[in-house]
Amino acid sequence: MTPGARNPDDTAAQPLRSDAERNRGRIIAAARSVFARDGLNASMASVAREAGVGIATIFRHFPAKEDLVAAVFADRMDAYADAVAVALDDPDPWHGFVGYIEAACAMQAADYGFADVLTTTFPTAKALEARRNEAYEGMVRLIGRAKETGRLREDFDPSDLVLLHMANAGVVNATGDAAPDAWRRVVALFVQSFEAPARGPLPASPEHEALYRAMLRAAPAGPVAPAPNSKS
């Protein structure tokens, strides 16, 4: 080949790369819409229909459902971690604590998929889980500060926030468009039960390892990816 001459394959390869990038964007946008409407139990086939691509195309970009979930909800998890940071910056720890709860539960109510994400763990989605862990560590500090003010009951445990998100996810998914603000009453009831003085002792909180297993079990199972030579 003459130095500087273009390889004929180069011009053919570039559109393929552009098409692949466009398909990836369409898949993420479609999954965002489908998961927000139907939650994480929505099938990959429904995402493919929404995106207008074949199921094999989805699996070429996202070999497992967890990979797609991580791509769709990375920005939501960033916003969730930011809500914890905002709460930590509040000069009134109790106000910050309540503000965080209301913000996080509102995010669940606005997106059925994210309602599920906050109650599910995805071991292979390293970046998503790192952000979740960062938020959790911030929550632990926030809880400690709120207790120091005397406004948060002393027997409150970080696992209680996980249980709150599980309860809120159930309410959000059960009420849907029929009673879209029902979650607000549930959250207010929880917040009032968190405030000191406590009306009575609580049962023991679940072991953190047991709660982790529950979140792991909640992870949506996706179908097996098609064989590599499958057509889209």
Side-chain angles (χ1 to χ4, degrees), residues 41-106:
N41 284 327
S43 69
M44 296 287 262
S46 64
V47 174
R49 286 193 296 272
E50 183 83 12
V53 300
I55 191 72
T57 300
I58 288 188
F59 280 113
R60 276 198 296 274
H61 290 279
F62 304 100
K65 193 172 186 178
E66 282 193 7
D67 300 322
L68 180 56
V69 169
V72 169
F73 291 103
D75 60 340
R76 303 291 200 280
M77 191 59 79
D78 285 343
Y80 174 70
D82 289 345
V84 177
V86 168
L88 284 168
D89 286 339
D90 194 311
D92 180 341
W94 171 254
H95 183 267
F97 175 76
V98 173
Y100 151 74
I101 289 175
E102 292 174 345
C105 290

Side-chain angles (χ1 to χ4, degrees), residues 138-150:
M139 283 191 303
V140 171
R141 296 197 301 275
L142 184 62
I143 289 167
R145 293 179 186 179
K147 285 183 178 181
E148 289 172 1
T149 69

Side-chain angles (χ1 to χ4, degrees), residues 1-15 17:
M1 181 187 300
T2 304
R6 293 175 60 109
N7 184 339
D9 291 339
D10 290 344
T11 56
Q14 184 59 41
R17 287 195 293 270

Side-chain angles (χ1 to χ4, degrees), residues 92-98 101 139-158 160-161 190-198 202:
D92 180 341
W94 171 254
H95 183 267
F97 175 76
V98 173
I101 289 175
M139 283 191 303
V140 171
R141 296 197 301 275
L142 184 62
I143 289 167
R145 293 179 186 179
K147 285 183 178 181
E148 289 172 1
T149 69
R151 296 290 301 277
L152 179 61
R153 57 187 299 158
E154 277 299 320
D155 57 356
F156 185 89
D157 186 86
D160 293 324
L161 285 178
F190 268 95
V191 168
Q192 290 180 30
S193 73
F194 295 159
E195 191 170 7
L202 294 171

Side-chain angles (χ1 to χ4, degrees), residues 199-212:
R199 301 299 189 270
L202 294 171
S205 62
E207 294 290 335
H208 288 201
E209 180 61 29
L211 204 52
Y212 175 80

Side-chain angles (χ1 to χ4, degrees), residues 36-37 109-110 112 171-182:
R37 182 183 67 235
Y112 290 180
V171 170
V172 165
N173 282 293
T175 56
D177 294 337
D181 290 328

